[in-house]
Amino acid sequence: MATGPARTTSVRGLRSDWSRLTGHTVEVWLRGEHVITGVVEQAANDDSVLWIAGSGAFTRRLFDKSTGFKVWV
């Protein structure tokens, strides 16, 4: 019996391990309010902060987990 390449599925939801999100498009929320949707340009190895890439006239932005930001993929 032949097997094909392994399939991976991406489940939409809240992410607590920010260090693995570089390159992913995410939604950032704070206290139930949507802040921004964008691509994670860089994330700290200890998953304490991440940077959303700048787009158009907007510069890249830093988000700090300890402030209460939540990230959804």
Side-chain angles (χ1 to χ4, degrees), residues 14-15 18 27-35 47-49 62-72:
L14 181 66
R15 296 295 193 255
W18 292 10
E27 296 176 357
V28 179
W29 292 74
L30 181 63
R31 294 185 211 83
E33 297 289 326
H34 179 257
V35 177
D47 75 41
S48 61
V49 297
L62 172 72
F63 295 95
D64 182 351
K65 187 185 283 187
S66 69
T67 303
F69 288 102
K70 305 290 183 196
V71 174
W72 289 74

Side-chain angles (χ1 to χ4, degrees), residues 5-32:
R7 297 184 77 186
T8 58
T9 58
S10 177
V11 177
R12 179 170 158 67
L14 181 66
R15 296 295 193 255
S16 60
D17 185 0
W18 292 10
S19 66
R20 298 175 178 242
L21 295 177
T22 300
H24 290 271
T25 299
V26 300
E27 296 176 357
V28 179
W29 292 74
L30 181 63
R31 294 185 211 83

